[in-house]
Amino acid sequence: MVRENGKTDKLEKILLTELLSGKYSHGMRFYSSREAAEKFGFSLATAYRALAGLAEKGHLTSRNGLGIFVNAPGKNSCQLRAVAVPLRLESNPQVLDFYEQLSTVAEKRGIRLLMGNGENWENEEAFLQKLAAVEVDGVIRFPCGVSQKESRIRAKISELNLKCVNINDWWRPESEFPSVKNDEERAVTEILDALYSAGHRKITLVQETYTGLRMELQKAFWQWHWHKNLKLTSNSMFCSHDQEIPPLTSLQKAAAAGTTALIFAYGLNIRDIWNRETAGLLQNFTLTTLDNIPLTENNLFAAYRHDDEKMAQTALDLLANSGENPKVPVKIPGKLIFN
């Protein structure tokens, strides 16, 4: 009797032969698990594992709700050897979660990671200059907001002719670099469903309002209330460009208006305000966040944890396949974690 892992290996080899037969080019749709199982006479579970194995090796990409697509070598594809990652550890410590997953995925694919300091413009520019002198296949980075410094970094990347993929990029829609994002619209909907089920009827969305930044969150917030036939009256709170953390007066107004739950678009804000004058007032609200910030999860009702492994796989796929449209970010669903 053939063991299950033997069946998976056998089907994986069959599917790889199909991929290398010349019938497929980069971006073409491949078999789904059900199609592969039916065509080659294997169980659905075996087909799923075989396709997952090929995706892990970089041959395929699974796009949520769309299907499985080919990363076949071609003029728009390259074999990644070394990828640079400038990290912002002090200002954004959650990047370590992503970097750990990226390291694991890269090791399986035989890709070397070059970690550099991206904490500020000067550090990241110096790191990028060094990369121009070595054979690096691309850069995976976390943008530093929508500031003038970010414009300079992007200009430097283009000047050095480096391929780049950004993680959770909130730049303008016409961004020249591909982006892999946490699916925040889905996150807003799932958090609202959870809060509503818990009895909350007055929920406030707390988000930054840099010009046009992350307005899809507000849209998802509105749509959810509209579908529930609930009134949108004082149900959102915004923070100005130079004040990411909501001031005490804003939280006082939210409490006076009957708000019982807050959804933070940026989880680090919660971590920061525990040591401020607003800490005591926060006890009046149920807190949730769209970010997976381990430092704050003990104080939260729920947090929408990113699928860092899937985001890492997708970022490497985008670097290897330059034919993707950079203006269309790839959104990766996460998971709602309850405390």
Side-chain angles (χ1 to χ4, degrees):
M1 181 178 179
V2 180
R3 295 172 59 186
E4 189 59 39
N5 61 343
K7 291 181 181 179
T8 301
D9 291 341
K10 183 177 179 180
L11 180 55
E12 191 172 317
K13 290 178 181 178
I14 293 173
L15 294 174
L16 182 58
T17 300
E18 285 268 308
L19 281 170
L20 300 177
S21 66
K23 295 188 297 183
Y24 292 93
S25 59
H26 167 65
M28 290 182 64
R29 192 177 182 281
F30 199 57
Y31 300 108
S32 66
S33 296
R34 186 170 300 281
E35 290 168 343
E38 292 177 353
K39 178 168 183 176
F40 300 105
F42 289 84
S43 70
L44 188 61
T46 297
Y48 176 84
R49 284 191 291 268
L51 289 167
L54 290 173
E56 190 174 273
K57 293 179 176 66
H59 297 292
L60 300 172
T61 296
S62 178
R63 298 177 185 169
N64 185 57
L66 297 176
I68 298 174
F69 296 83
V70 174
N71 291 334
K75 64 179 181 179
N76 292 325
S77 177
C78 71
Q79 178 64 44
L80 299 178
R81 296 160 298 173
V83 172
V85 189
L87 295 180
R88 306 183 189 283
L89 301 180
E90 294 180 15
S91 60
N92 195 3
Q94 76 179 62
V95 302
L96 279 178
D97 293 337
F98 173 79
Y99 183 74
E100 288 180 1
Q101 291 297 331
L102 180 63
S103 299
T104 300
V105 175
E107 183 178 4
K108 291 179 179 178
R109 297 189 184 186
I111 302 170
R112 184 163 61 99
L113 292 185
L114 307 176
M115 185 173 70
N117 189 344
E119 199 62 56
N120 54 51
W121 155 250
E122 292 81 7
N123 290 336
E124 187 160 3
E125 182 186 41
F127 182 50
L128 294 172
Q129 292 284 12
K130 291 180 181 178
L131 296 178
V134 300
E135 292 187 358
V136 64
D137 297 305
V139 180
I140 295 177
R141 61 184 295 272
F142 284 79
C144 57
V146 293
S147 65
Q148 184 178 6
K149 292 180 180 179
E150 177 64 18
S151 295
R152 291 169 60 184
I153 293 173
R154 290 173 189 249
K156 178 60 66 174
I157 291 172
S158 297
E159 175 190 325
L160 296 173
N161 199 28
L162 293 169
K163 293 177 64 177
C164 175
V165 170
N166 287 318
I167 304 299
N168 286 331
D169 185 10
W170 314 119
W171 196 247
R172 306 181 185 93
E174 65 272 18
S175 176
E176 67 273 36
F177 301 118
S179 174
V180 181
K181 292 183 178 180
N182 184 39
D183 191 343
E184 292 198 318
E185 288 123 300
R186 178 179 291 197
V188 168
T189 299
E190 291 189 15
I191 288 176
L192 285 169
D193 284 340
L195 289 172
Y196 190 78
S197 297
H200 295 279
R201 295 297 181 271
K202 192 83 167 182
I203 304 164
T204 292
L205 173 67
V206 184
Q207 71 172 108
E208 311 91 327
T209 54
Y210 306 122
T211 306
L213 178 65
R214 299 170 83 176
M215 290 309 295
E216 68 271 12
L217 301 187
Q218 187 68 28
K219 181 180 178 181
F221 189 80
W222 288 337
Q223 287 181 334
W224 183 90
H225 282 82
W226 182 75
H227 288 304
K228 292 286 185 180
N229 198 27
L230 298 174
K231 292 182 178 180
L232 263 171
T233 306
S234 302
N235 268 344
S236 62
M237 174 169 57
F238 298 97
C239 308
S240 64
H241 181 98
D242 59 349
Q243 192 174 28
E244 292 184 352
I245 300 170
L248 178 62
T249 53
S250 294
L251 292 175
Q252 288 173 332
K253 289 179 180 179
T259 295
T260 59
L262 302 177
I263 301 176
F264 280 81
Y266 193 47
L268 280 173
N269 289 351
I270 300 178
R271 185 199 67 175
D272 292 339
I273 58 182
W274 282 114
N275 297 321
R276 301 194 178 198
E277 61 180 353
T278 52
L281 188 56
L282 285 175
Q283 304 294 337
N284 298 322
F285 304 104
T286 291
L287 305 180
T288 63
T289 181
L290 304 181
D291 285 337
N292 55 330
I293 308 295
L295 294 174
T296 64
E297 283 185 355
N298 290 337
N299 301 317
L300 297 177
F301 168 72
Y304 195 75
R305 181 170 289 281
H306 302 181
D307 187 343
D308 286 315
E309 180 181 11
K310 185 64 177 177
M311 293 178 77
Q313 292 172 344
T314 306
L316 290 172
D317 290 340
L318 288 172
L319 273 184
N321 300 288
S322 58
E324 300 290 345
N325 182 0
K327 295 184 179 180
V328 182
V330 181
K331 297 181 180 180
I332 308 295
K335 182 179 181 181
L336 194 59
I337 305 295
F338 293 95
N339 286 320

